[in-house]
């Protein structure tokens, strides 16, 4: 269905609608008029379910304004948007465009959970420390080490934890001598400007879907009624 031209055109119209209407959430999106038409997104969605013959649901979307770089991998298996703050003139250069795409590809490949260390909640850090401490207690060689040594090991592993889950702390995949943050800084220096990665969104096909035992025939019958 995802390769069906009718479906792809419908998705494009939904994207245009999101850009134009800036709905707050999926429910709001379903109730606005589809771009270029006189019926709601929900009404058009029901039409597509009947004409294509497959259940289709709009689960989520993200909308960003400003300077945004994108990357779509594998025909839509992974999609990434990265928002930056920089001068418009810098953002218009091929150097910046290449950098933006490289960062988006990094996110697609390495799947960071946070932008930087400051974005990680104290609760998440504390939970990770508890996990590490429990692991150390099960290690016969380490569990009887002095508290100061244990604390140092935990600190070191938390640092490694940040390097794995935080985009700007990750090792840049195209140059292992740089972190992603350092790579961005190097491009900013080349362009004689400042570049700041502000946020990112990464969607992967199928993530978050919980299978349901819905009866599709019954669902279509309800729509027809």
């Amino acid at each position: 269905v995802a390769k069906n031209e009718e479906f792809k055109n419908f998705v494009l119209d939904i994207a245009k609608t999101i850009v134009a209407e800036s709905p707050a959430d999926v429910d709001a999106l379903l109730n606005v008029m589809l771009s270029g038409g006189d019926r709601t997104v929900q009404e058009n969605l029901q039409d597509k379910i009947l004409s294509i013959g497959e259940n289709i649901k709009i689960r989520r979307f993200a909308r960003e304004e400003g300077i945004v770089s994108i990357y779509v991998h594998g025909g839509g298996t992974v999609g990434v948007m990265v928002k930056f703050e920089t001068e418009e003139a810098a953002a218009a250069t091929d150097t910046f465009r290449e950098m933006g795409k490289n960062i988006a590809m990094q996110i697609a490949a390495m799947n960071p959970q946070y932008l930087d260390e400051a974005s990680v909640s104290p609760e998440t850090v504390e939970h990770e420390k508890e996990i590490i401490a429990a692991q150390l207690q099960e290690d016969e060689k380490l569990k009887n080490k002095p508290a100061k040594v244990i604390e140092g090991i935990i600190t070191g592993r938390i640092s490694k934890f940040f390097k794995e889950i935080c985009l700007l702390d990750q090792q840049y995949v195209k140059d292992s001598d740089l972190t992603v943050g350092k790579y961005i800084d190097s491009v900013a220096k080349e362009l004689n400007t400042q570049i700041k990665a502000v946020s990112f969104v990464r969607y992967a096909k199928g993530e978050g879907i919980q299978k349901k035992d819905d009866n599709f025939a019954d669902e279509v019958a309800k729509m027809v009624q």
Side-chain angles (χ1 to χ4, degrees), residues 102-174:
N102 286 338
I103 298 302
M105 290 174 68
Q106 170 93 19
I107 295 167
M110 303 307 293
N111 193 20
Q113 304 301 303
Y114 302 91
L115 178 68
D116 54 19
E117 292 182 24
S119 304
V120 186
S121 70
E123 291 79 14
T124 299
V125 176
E126 192 58 38
H127 179 64
E128 186 64 21
K129 285 181 178 179
E130 291 173 0
I131 293 174
I132 296 169
Q135 291 172 342
L136 294 177
Q137 282 301 308
E138 295 176 359
D139 190 319
E140 292 297 329
K141 294 180 179 179
L142 296 174
K143 67 179 184 180
N144 294 321
K145 294 284 186 180
K148 202 165 186 178
V149 173
I150 294 294
E151 185 179 340
I153 294 173
I154 292 174
T155 299
R157 292 193 183 180
I158 286 294
S159 178
K160 183 180 178 182
F161 173 67
F162 284 138
K163 290 177 181 178
E164 292 173 351
I165 68 168
C166 297
L167 172 64
L168 299 183
D169 291 331
Q170 282 185 343
Q171 185 181 66
Y172 178 44
V173 293
K174 288 191 172 185

Coordinates of all heavy atoms in Angstrom, one line a residue, residues 102-174:
N102 N 24.3 15.4 6.6 CA 25.2 14.5 7.3 C 24.7 14.2 8.7 O 24.7 13.1 9.2 CB 26.6 15.0 7.3 CG 27.3 14.8 6.0 OD1 26.9 14.0 5.1 ND2 28.3 15.6 5.7
I103 N 24.2 15.3 9.4 CA 23.7 15.2 10.7 C 22.4 14.3 10.7 O 22.2 13.5 11.6 CB 23.5 16.6 11.4 CG1 24.7 17.4 11.4 CG2 22.8 16.4 12.8 CD1 25.8 16.7 12.2
A104 N 21.6 14.6 9.8 CA 20.3 13.8 9.7 C 20.6 12.3 9.4 O 20.0 11.5 10.0 CB 19.4 14.4 8.6
M105 N 21.6 12.1 8.6 CA 22.0 10.7 8.3 C 22.6 10.0 9.6 O 22.4 8.8 9.9 CB 23.0 10.6 7.2 CG 22.4 10.9 5.8 SD 23.7 11.0 4.5 CE 24.2 9.3 4.4
Q106 N 23.3 10.8 10.4 CA 23.9 10.3 11.6 C 22.7 9.9 12.6 O 22.8 8.8 13.2 CB 24.7 11.4 12.3 CG 25.1 11.1 13.7 CD 26.5 10.5 13.9 OE1 27.3 10.6 13.0 NE2 26.7 9.9 15.0
I107 N 21.7 10.7 12.6 CA 20.6 10.4 13.5 C 19.9 9.1 13.0 O 19.5 8.3 13.8 CB 19.6 11.6 13.5 CG1 20.3 12.8 14.2 CG2 18.3 11.2 14.2 CD1 19.5 14.1 14.0
A108 N 19.7 9.0 11.7 CA 19.0 7.8 11.1 C 19.8 6.6 11.4 O 19.2 5.6 11.8 CB 18.9 8.0 9.6
A109 N 21.1 6.6 11.4 CA 22.0 5.5 11.6 C 22.2 5.1 13.0 O 22.1 3.9 13.4 CB 23.3 5.7 10.9
M110 N 22.4 6.1 13.9 CA 22.8 5.9 15.3 C 21.7 6.0 16.3 O 21.9 5.7 17.5 CB 24.0 6.8 15.6 CG 25.2 6.7 14.7 SD 25.8 5.0 14.5 CE 26.4 4.8 16.2
N111 N 20.6 6.6 15.9 CA 19.4 6.6 16.7 C 19.6 7.2 18.1 O 19.3 6.6 19.1 CB 18.8 5.2 16.8 CG 17.4 5.3 17.4 OD1 16.7 6.3 17.4 ND2 16.9 4.2 18.0
P112 N 20.1 8.5 18.2 CA 20.3 9.1 19.5 C 18.9 9.4 20.1 O 18.0 9.6 19.4 CB 21.0 10.4 19.1 CG 20.6 10.7 17.7 CD 20.5 9.4 17.1
Q113 N 18.9 9.3 21.4 CA 17.6 9.6 22.1 C 17.4 11.0 22.5 O 16.3 11.5 22.8 CB 17.6 8.7 23.4 CG 17.7 7.2 23.0 CD 16.7 6.6 22.1 OE1 15.5 6.7 22.4 NE2 17.1 6.1 21.0
Y114 N 18.6 11.7 22.7 CA 18.5 13.1 23.1 C 19.5 14.0 22.3 O 20.4 13.5 21.7 CB 18.9 13.2 24.6 CG 18.1 12.4 25.5 CD1 18.4 11.0 25.8 CD2 16.9 12.9 26.1 CE1 17.7 10.3 26.7 CE2 16.1 12.1 26.9 CZ 16.5 10.8 27.2 OH 15.7 10.0 28.0
L115 N 19.2 15.3 22.4 CA 20.1 16.2 21.7 C 21.5 16.3 22.3 O 22.5 16.2 21.7 CB 19.5 17.6 21.6 CG 20.3 18.7 20.9 CD1 20.5 18.4 19.4 CD2 19.7 20.1 21.1
D116 N 21.5 16.5 23.7 CA 22.7 16.7 24.4 C 22.5 16.3 25.9 O 21.4 15.9 26.2 CB 23.2 18.2 24.4 CG 22.1 19.2 24.8 OD1 21.1 18.8 25.5 OD2 22.2 20.4 24.4
E117 N 23.5 16.4 26.7 CA 23.4 15.9 28.1 C 22.4 16.7 28.9 O 21.7 16.2 29.7 CB 24.8 16.1 28.8 CG 25.8 15.1 28.2 CD 27.2 15.2 29.0 OE1 27.1 15.7 30.1 OE2 28.2 14.9 28.4
A118 N 22.2 18.0 28.6 CA 21.3 18.8 29.3 C 19.8 18.4 29.0 O 18.9 18.7 29.8 CB 21.5 20.3 28.9
S119 N 19.6 17.7 27.9 CA 18.3 17.2 27.5 C 17.9 16.0 28.3 O 16.7 15.6 28.3 CB 18.2 17.0 26.0 OG 18.6 18.1 25.3
V120 N 18.8 15.3 28.9 CA 18.5 14.1 29.6 C 18.0 14.4 31.0 O 18.7 15.1 31.7 CB 19.8 13.2 29.7 CG1 19.4 11.8 30.3 CG2 20.4 13.0 28.3
S121 N 16.9 13.9 31.4 CA 16.3 14.2 32.7 C 17.2 13.6 33.8 O 17.8 12.5 33.6 CB 14.9 13.6 32.8 OG 14.9 12.2 32.8
P122 N 17.2 14.3 35.0 CA 17.9 13.7 36.1 C 17.4 12.3 36.5 O 18.2 11.5 37.0 CB 17.6 14.8 37.2 CG 17.3 16.0 36.5 CD 16.6 15.6 35.2
E123 N 16.1 12.1 36.3 CA 15.6 10.8 36.7 C 16.2 9.7 35.8 O 16.5 8.6 36.3 CB 14.0 10.8 36.5 CG 13.3 11.7 37.5 CD 13.3 13.2 37.1 OE1 13.7 13.5 36.0 OE2 13.0 14.0 38.0
T124 N 16.4 10.0 34.5 CA 17.0 9.0 33.6 C 18.4 8.7 34.0 O 18.8 7.6 34.0 CB 16.9 9.6 32.1 OG1 15.5 9.8 31.7 CG2 17.6 8.6 31.2
V125 N 19.1 9.8 34.3 CA 20.5 9.6 34.7 C 20.6 8.8 36.0 O 21.4 7.9 36.1 CB 21.2 11.0 34.9 CG1 22.6 10.8 35.4 CG2 21.3 11.8 33.6
E126 N 19.8 9.1 37.0 CA 19.8 8.4 38.2 C 19.4 6.9 38.0 O 20.0 6.0 38.7 CB 18.8 9.0 39.2 CG 18.9 8.6 40.6 CD 20.3 8.8 41.2 OE1 20.9 9.9 40.9 OE2 20.8 7.9 42.0
H127 N 18.5 6.7 37.2 CA 18.1 5.3 36.9 C 19.2 4.5 36.3 O 19.5 3.3 36.6 CB 16.9 5.3 35.9 CG 16.4 3.9 35.6 ND1 15.9 3.0 36.5 CD2 16.4 3.3 34.3 CE1 15.6 1.9 35.9 NE2 15.9 2.0 34.6
E128 N 19.9 5.1 35.4 CA 21.1 4.5 34.7 C 22.2 4.2 35.8 O 22.8 3.2 35.7 CB 21.6 5.4 33.6 CG 22.7 4.7 32.8 CD 22.3 3.5 32.0 OE1 21.1 3.4 31.8 OE2 23.1 2.7 31.6
K129 N 22.4 5.2 36.7 CA 23.4 5.0 37.7 C 23.0 3.8 38.6 O 23.9 3.0 39.0 CB 23.5 6.2 38.6 CG 24.2 7.4 38.0 CD 24.3 8.6 38.9 CE 25.1 9.7 38.3 NZ 25.2 10.9 39.2
E130 N 21.7 3.6 38.9 CA 21.3 2.5 39.7 C 21.5 1.2 39.0 O 21.9 0.2 39.6 CB 19.8 2.6 40.0 CG 19.5 3.8 41.0 CD 18.0 4.0 41.1 OE1 17.2 3.3 40.4 OE2 17.6 4.9 41.9
I131 N 21.3 1.2 37.7 CA 21.6 -0.1 36.9 C 23.1 -0.4 36.9 O 23.4 -1.6 37.1 CB 21.1 0.1 35.4 CG1 19.6 0.3 35.3 CG2 21.6 -1.0 34.5 CD1 19.0 0.6 34.0
I132 N 23.9 0.6 36.7 CA 25.4 0.4 36.7 C 25.8 -0.1 38.1 O 26.6 -1.0 38.2 CB 26.1 1.7 36.3 CG1 25.8 2.1 34.9 CG2 27.6 1.5 36.5 CD1 26.2 3.5 34.5
A133 N 25.3 0.5 39.2 CA 25.7 0.1 40.5 C 25.3 -1.3 40.8 O 26.1 -2.1 41.4 CB 25.0 1.0 41.5
A134 N 24.1 -1.7 40.3 CA 23.7 -3.1 40.5 C 24.6 -4.1 39.7 O 24.9 -5.2 40.2 CB 22.2 -3.3 40.0
Q135 N 25.0 -3.7 38.5 CA 25.9 -4.5 37.7 C 27.2 -4.7 38.4 O 27.8 -5.8 38.4 CB 26.1 -3.9 36.4 CG 24.8 -4.0 35.5 CD 25.0 -3.2 34.2 OE1 25.9 -2.3 34.1 NE2 24.1 -3.5 33.2
L136 N 27.7 -3.6 39.0 CA 29.0 -3.7 39.7 C 28.9 -4.6 40.9 O 29.9 -5.2 41.3 CB 29.4 -2.3 40.1 CG 29.8 -1.3 39.0 CD1 30.1 0.1 39.5 CD2 30.9 -1.8 38.1
Q137 N 27.8 -4.6 41.6 CA 27.6 -5.4 42.8 C 27.6 -6.9 42.4 O 27.9 -7.8 43.2 CB 26.3 -5.1 43.5 CG 26.4 -3.8 44.3 CD 27.4 -3.9 45.4 OE1 27.5 -4.9 46.2 NE2 28.3 -2.9 45.5
E138 N 27.3 -7.2 41.2 CA 27.3 -8.6 40.7 C 28.7 -9.0 40.1 O 28.9 -10.2 39.8 CB 26.2 -8.8 39.6 CG 24.8 -8.6 40.2 CD 23.8 -8.7 39.1 OE1 24.1 -8.9 37.9 OE2 22.6 -8.6 39.4
D139 N 29.6 -8.1 40.0 CA 30.9 -8.3 39.5 C 31.9 -8.7 40.6 O 32.2 -7.8 41.5 CB 31.4 -7.1 38.7 CG 32.7 -7.4 37.9 OD1 33.6 -8.1 38.4 OD2 32.8 -6.9 36.8
E140 N 32.3 -9.9 40.7 CA 33.1 -10.4 41.8 C 34.4 -9.6 41.9 O 35.0 -9.4 43.0 CB 33.5 -11.9 41.6 CG 32.3 -12.8 41.7 CD 31.6 -12.7 43.1 OE1 32.4 -12.5 44.1 OE2 30.4 -12.9 43.2
K141 N 34.9 -9.1 40.8 CA 36.2 -8.4 40.8 C 36.1 -6.9 41.3 O 37.0 -6.3 41.7 CB 36.9 -8.4 39.4 CG 37.3 -9.8 39.0 CD 37.9 -9.7 37.6 CE 38.4 -11.1 37.1 NZ 39.0 -11.0 35.8
L142 N 34.8 -6.4 41.2 CA 34.7 -5.0 41.5 C 33.8 -4.7 42.7 O 33.9 -3.6 43.3 CB 34.0 -4.3 40.2 CG 34.8 -4.3 39.0 CD1 34.0 -3.7 37.8 CD2 36.1 -3.5 39.1
K143 N 33.0 -5.6 43.1 CA 32.0 -5.3 44.1 C 32.6 -4.9 45.5 O 31.9 -4.2 46.2 CB 31.0 -6.4 44.3 CG 31.5 -7.7 44.9 CD 30.4 -8.7 45.0 CE 30.9 -10.0 45.7 NZ 29.9 -11.0 45.8
N144 N 33.8 -5.3 45.8 CA 34.4 -5.0 47.1 C 35.4 -3.8 47.0 O 36.1 -3.6 47.9 CB 35.1 -6.2 47.6 CG 34.1 -7.3 48.0 OD1 33.0 -7.0 48.5 ND2 34.4 -8.6 47.7
K145 N 35.4 -3.2 45.8 CA 36.3 -2.0 45.7 C 35.8 -0.9 46.6 O 34.7 -0.8 46.9 CB 36.3 -1.5 44.2 CG 36.9 -2.5 43.2 CD 38.4 -2.5 43.3 CE 39.0 -3.4 42.2 NZ 40.5 -3.4 42.3
P146 N 36.7 0.0 47.0 CA 36.3 1.2 47.8 C 35.3 2.0 47.1 O 35.2 2.1 45.9 CB 37.6 2.0 48.0 CG 38.7 1.0 47.7 CD 38.2 0.0 46.7
A147 N 34.5 2.7 47.9 CA 33.3 3.5 47.4 C 33.8 4.5 46.4 O 33.1 4.8 45.4 CB 32.6 4.1 48.6
K148 N 35.0 5.1 46.7 CA 35.5 6.1 45.8 C 35.8 5.6 44.4 O 35.5 6.2 43.4 CB 36.7 6.8 46.4 CG 37.0 8.2 45.8 CD 38.1 8.9 46.7 CE 38.2 10.3 46.2 NZ 39.2 11.1 47.1
V149 N 36.3 4.3 44.4 CA 36.6 3.7 43.1 C 35.3 3.3 42.4 O 35.2 3.6 41.1 CB 37.4 2.4 43.3 CG1 37.6 1.6 42.0 CG2 38.8 2.7 44.0
I150 N 34.3 2.8 43.1 CA 33.0 2.5 42.5 C 32.4 3.7 41.9 O 31.9 3.7 40.8 CB 32.1 1.9 43.5 CG1 32.6 0.5 44.0 CG2 30.7 1.7 43.0 CD1 32.6 -0.6 42.9
E151 N 32.5 4.8 42.7 CA 31.9 6.1 42.2 C 32.6 6.6 40.9 O 31.9 7.0 40.0 CB 32.1 7.2 43.3 CG 31.4 8.5 42.9 CD 31.6 9.5 44.0 OE1 31.8 9.1 45.2 OE2 31.4 10.7 43.7
G152 N 33.9 6.4 40.8 CA 34.6 6.7 39.6 C 34.2 5.9 38.4 O 34.1 6.4 37.3
I153 N 34.0 4.6 38.7 CA 33.6 3.7 37.6 C 32.2 4.1 37.1 O 32.0 4.2 35.9 CB 33.6 2.3 38.1 CG1 35.0 1.8 38.4 CG2 33.0 1.3 37.0 CD1 35.1 0.4 39.0
I154 N 31.3 4.4 38.0 CA 30.0 4.8 37.6 C 30.0 6.1 36.8 O 29.3 6.3 35.8 CB 29.1 5.0 38.9 CG1 28.8 3.7 39.5 CG2 27.8 5.7 38.5 CD1 28.1 3.7 40.9
T155 N 30.8 7.1 37.2 CA 31.0 8.3 36.5 C 31.5 8.1 35.1 O 31.0 8.7 34.1 CB 31.9 9.3 37.2 OG1 31.4 9.6 38.5 CG2 32.1 10.6 36.5
G156 N 32.5 7.2 35.0 CA 33.0 6.9 33.6 C 32.0 6.2 32.7 O 31.9 6.6 31.5
R157 N 31.2 5.4 33.3 CA 30.2 4.7 32.5 C 29.0 5.6 32.1 O 28.4 5.4 31.1 CB 29.6 3.4 33.2 CG 30.7 2.3 33.3 CD 30.1 1.0 33.8 NE 31.2 0.0 33.9 CZ 31.0 -1.2 34.3 NH1 29.7 -1.6 34.6 NH2 32.0 -2.1 34.5
I158 N 28.7 6.5 33.0 CA 27.7 7.5 32.7 C 28.1 8.4 31.5 O 27.4 8.8 30.6 CB 27.3 8.4 33.9 CG1 26.5 7.6 34.9 CG2 26.6 9.7 33.5 CD1 25.1 7.2 34.4
S159 N 29.4 8.7 31.5 CA 30.0 9.5 30.4 C 29.9 8.8 29.1 O 29.5 9.3 28.1 CB 31.5 9.8 30.7 OG 32.0 10.5 29.6
K160 N 30.1 7.5 29.2 CA 30.0 6.6 28.0 C 28.5 6.5 27.6 O 28.2 6.6 26.4 CB 30.5 5.2 28.3 CG 30.5 4.3 27.1 CD 31.0 2.9 27.4 CE 30.9 2.0 26.2 NZ 31.4 0.6 26.5
F161 N 27.6 6.5 28.5 CA 26.2 6.5 28.3 C 25.7 7.7 27.5 O 25.0 7.6 26.5 CB 25.5 6.4 29.7 CG 24.0 6.5 29.6 CD1 23.2 5.5 29.1 CD2 23.3 7.6 30.2 CE1 21.8 5.7 29.0 CE2 22.0 7.7 30.2 CZ 21.2 6.8 29.6
F162 N 26.2 8.9 27.9 CA 25.9 10.1 27.2 C 26.4 10.1 25.8 O 25.7 10.5 24.9 CB 26.5 11.3 27.9 CG 25.8 11.7 29.2 CD1 26.5 12.1 30.3 CD2 24.4 11.7 29.2 CE1 25.8 12.5 31.5 CE2 23.7 12.1 30.4 CZ 24.4 12.5 31.5
K163 N 27.6 9.5 25.6 CA 28.2 9.5 24.2 C 27.4 8.5 23.3 O 27.4 8.7 22.1 CB 29.6 9.0 24.3 CG 30.5 10.0 24.9 CD 32.0 9.5 25.1 CE 32.9 10.6 25.7 NZ 34.2 10.1 25.9
E164 N 26.6 7.6 23.9 CA 25.8 6.7 23.1 C 24.4 7.3 22.8 O 23.9 7.1 21.7 CB 25.6 5.4 23.8 CG 26.9 4.6 24.0 CD 26.8 3.4 24.8 OE1 25.7 3.3 25.5 OE2 27.7 2.6 24.9
I165 N 23.8 8.0 23.7 CA 22.4 8.4 23.5 C 22.2 9.9 23.2 O 21.2 10.3 22.8 CB 21.6 8.1 24.8 CG1 22.1 9.0 26.0 CG2 21.7 6.7 25.2 CD1 21.1 9.0 27.2
C166 N 23.3 10.7 23.3 CA 23.2 12.2 23.0 C 23.8 12.5 21.7 O 25.0 12.2 21.4 CB 23.8 13.0 24.1 SG 23.1 12.8 25.7
L167 N 23.0 13.1 20.8 CA 23.5 13.3 19.4 C 24.8 14.1 19.4 O 25.8 13.7 18.7 CB 22.5 14.2 18.7 CG 22.9 14.7 17.3 CD1 23.2 13.5 16.3 CD2 21.8 15.6 16.7
L168 N 24.9 15.2 20.1 CA 26.1 16.1 20.0 C 27.3 15.4 20.7 O 28.5 15.8 20.3 CB 25.8 17.4 20.7 CG 24.7 18.2 20.1 CD1 24.6 19.6 20.7 CD2 25.0 18.4 18.5
D169 N 27.1 14.4 21.5 CA 28.3 13.7 22.1 C 28.7 12.5 21.4 O 29.7 11.9 21.7 CB 27.9 13.3 23.6 CG 27.8 14.5 24.5 OD1 28.5 15.5 24.2 OD2 27.0 14.5 25.5
Q170 N 27.8 12.0 20.4 CA 28.2 10.8 19.7 C 29.4 11.0 18.8 O 29.7 12.1 18.3 CB 27.0 10.4 18.8 CG 25.9 9.8 19.5 CD 24.8 9.3 18.5 OE1 24.7 9.7 17.4 NE2 23.9 8.4 19.0
Q171 N 30.1 9.9 18.6 CA 31.2 10.0 17.6 C 30.6 10.1 16.2 O 29.7 9.5 15.8 CB 32.0 8.6 17.7 CG 33.2 8.6 16.9 CD 33.9 7.2 17.0 OE1 33.4 6.2 16.6 NE2 35.1 7.2 17.6
Y172 N 31.2 11.1 15.5 CA 30.7 11.4 14.1 C 31.1 10.2 13.2 O 32.2 9.9 13.1 CB 31.3 12.7 13.6 CG 30.9 13.1 12.2 CD1 29.5 13.0 11.8 CD2 31.8 13.6 11.4 CE1 29.2 13.3 10.5 CE2 31.4 13.9 10.1 CZ 30.1 13.8 9.7 OH 29.7 14.2 8.4
V173 N 30.1 9.6 12.6 CA 30.3 8.4 11.8 C 31.2 8.6 10.6 O 31.9 7.6 10.2 CB 29.0 7.8 11.4 CG1 28.2 7.3 12.5 CG2 28.2 8.7 10.5
K174 N 31.3 9.8 10.1 CA 32.2 10.0 8.9 C 33.6 10.4 9.3 O 34.5 10.5 8.4 CB 31.5 11.1 8.0 CG 30.3 10.5 7.2 CD 29.9 11.5 6.1 CE 28.8 10.9 5.3 NZ 28.5 11.8 4.1

